Amino acid sequence: MRPRANLFLSAGRPAGGEGVPVNFLGSNAEQAAAKNRQLVLATIHRGAPISRTELAERCGLTKQAIARIVDRLVDEGLVMEARRRHGLRGQPAIELEIDPEGMFSVGANIDRDHLTVVVVDATGTVRGRVHHEKSFILPDEFMALFSDALSTFRRRKLVDEGRLAGVGLAIPDWLGEIDVIGRPDAYAAWTEFDLRGAVEAVTPHPVFIDNDANAAALGEIDYGLGTEIGSFFYILANACVGGALVIDGVRHKGAGGINGEIGCLPVREVDESGAGRIRQLGELFSMFLLYDHLRAHGIVVNTPTELAALDGRGRALVSDWIGRAAGWLAEAVSHIALIADPEAVLIGGRMPVRLIDELIVQAQKECLRAGLPQVTLHRAVCSEDAAALGAAAMPLAHRLGLPSADAGQLERVPLRTDHTLAAAPSV
């Protein structure tokens, strides 16, 4: 597991080491300088606004070393002197922050019901967004829409190409294989599609790829509740359900790289007669399954916007489904709590905010009613565009040297069944 930034802090300084942390003993000067630069950037990103004195204290470096590193970062346009801090004795301290114009990143989330492409600045603020609410977009259409989004960002001058850190892609694994409701046969084309090669052909910038739930969790680490909660399990409530485990601010990938597949967890489904059977959570809980529940009662809904605009009867049907889903979710998160013991479980994704809040309240009640282990549940800060924002966070984390950076994303491709022992459940 990749170390957190604070593991670079030193308990002391070697003589003549110019403030180099003891962790770097044995490294050459260039390596130590690069690590110190990375540490300072990560500390400013997490702690801004922050003064040079505070940086020296948190990084375990001398004030002279901090001054040299910060001056270079300011000259490079990555860090800016934001304001002077008044109200204290002595010379007012200058507060440092990441310069929003220092770099940019593009993030795209392709899923079974939509495509979202965003461009963000160095602070993770969205500068532009292109969204297509369409089900089962095929690879060729995705490439046309994605290329058009890049052209739109350039035409509107939303991004400085010279400062583009890269392109991040968030995509469900086994996208063309899982037999979801309404999947056309042609959708199997995603299984053999060379996503990395196709995107690298339309951009000269580094391409980062990860599972959509992993990406959403990464965005939450750097720009959401992860700034306050070190260890959490992230549940992505999208067309299908996904999950990711974060431990000490770093996503835990697992031995095979598929840690967090909450859709495979067994839960008990009880019918109207009280009889129960064991099912996988992914067979019971997802946006597509909620749409199917409404369709069975004569209400056709295909988008989160339509879901949020339902009348009284529709809302009652949704609440009924949420009540049952809360029981399944409570059982699943209790398994997670017993095994991983995270500080909290976060729920985000394209499910409307009001429904996520209702789901959390009902799941907490169900835990109490069933005597399950109590788990702290929170709605994720990055919700509707969570996976796209997380995709954009990947290149930023890499360029800023954040603890969440994962070099494996520069080589990763979407998983298919011949990459792993088993695929996720059908829904």
Side-chain angles (χ1 to χ4, degrees), residues 378-401:
H378 293 296
R379 170 164 44 89
V381 170
C382 308
S383 290
E384 180 184 2
D385 290 341
L389 294 172
M394 291 190 276
L396 293 181
H398 186 81
R399 183 69 66 85
L400 291 170

Side-chain angles (χ1 to χ4, degrees), residues 400-420:
L400 291 170
L402 303 181
S404 59
D406 181 0
Q409 293 161 344
L410 286 164
E411 299 178 353
R412 194 186 195 278
V413 295
L415 298 180
R416 56 193 191 195
T417 50
D418 60 353
H419 291 158
T420 53

Side-chain angles (χ1 to χ4, degrees), residues 330-344:
E331 188 174 350
V333 298
S334 70
H335 298 328
I336 294 168
L338 289 171
I339 296 173
D341 191 25
E343 296 173 54

